[in-house]
Amino acid sequence: QVQLVESGGGLVQAGGSLRLSCAASGSINSFSIMGWYRQAPGQQRELVAAITSRGITNYADSVKGRFAISRDNAKNTVYLQMNSLKPEDTAVYYCNLNNVPNRYWGQGTQVTVSS
């Protein structure tokens, strides 16, 4: 059984930075995609960034140039470095593992950006 454990959320002022981490345990296949989604109150969950096991990345337009996703395959861990944070980045951030054919979610970590 795969489990995802997230860490790194918190409260930060606008313009600040945070780094999220997500460690996966269990059987992770070589074609897996790891990523981060977020959900603000009253909003749908949306993709923030994703990365394949080969390092190919994809970002939401709203975070391009500010966020960076990276992955340590040896540790089955994905990171999200968030810089120049804005109040509109406030949301619960969820780690996601697409471990074909299964998909897993972390418990979520709150990120709050004050203006």
Side-chain angles (χ1 to χ4, degrees):
Q1 184 69 17
V2 173
Q3 290 187 323
L4 303 177
V5 178
E6 302 157 346
S7 60
L11 172 65
V12 65
Q13 288 188 332
S17 299
L18 284 174
R19 189 189 193 212
L20 306 182
S21 299
C22 173
S25 61
S27 178
I28 313 299
N29 67 49
S30 60
F31 301 102
S32 63
I33 299 172
M34 298 187 78
W36 292 93
Y37 287 69
R38 67 186 181 187
Q39 188 168 19
Q43 303 294 319
Q44 289 189 332
R45 192 172 296 189
E46 62 176 1
L47 174 68
V48 177
I51 184 168
T52 71
S53 58
R54 296 187 178 186
I56 299 171
T57 59
N58 182 39
Y59 293 93
D61 288 342
S62 59
V63 306
K64 284 180 180 177
R66 300 188 298 121
F67 291 10
I69 190 169
S70 59
R71 177 171 176 168
D72 185 334
N73 289 327
K75 297 181 179 180
N76 288 328
T77 300
V78 64
Y79 306 94
L80 185 67
Q81 178 66 43
M82 304 185 293
N83 300 324
S84 302
L85 282 160
K86 304 175 181 180
E88 50 264 44
D89 294 317
T90 295
V92 178
Y93 283 69
Y94 295 91
C95 178
N96 174 263
L97 168 64
N98 188 351
N99 197 45
V100 180
N102 301 306
R103 198 163 187 174
Y104 303 91
W105 293 93
Q107 78 280 5
T109 185
Q110 177 70 45
V111 171
T112 302
V113 184
S114 63
S115 57

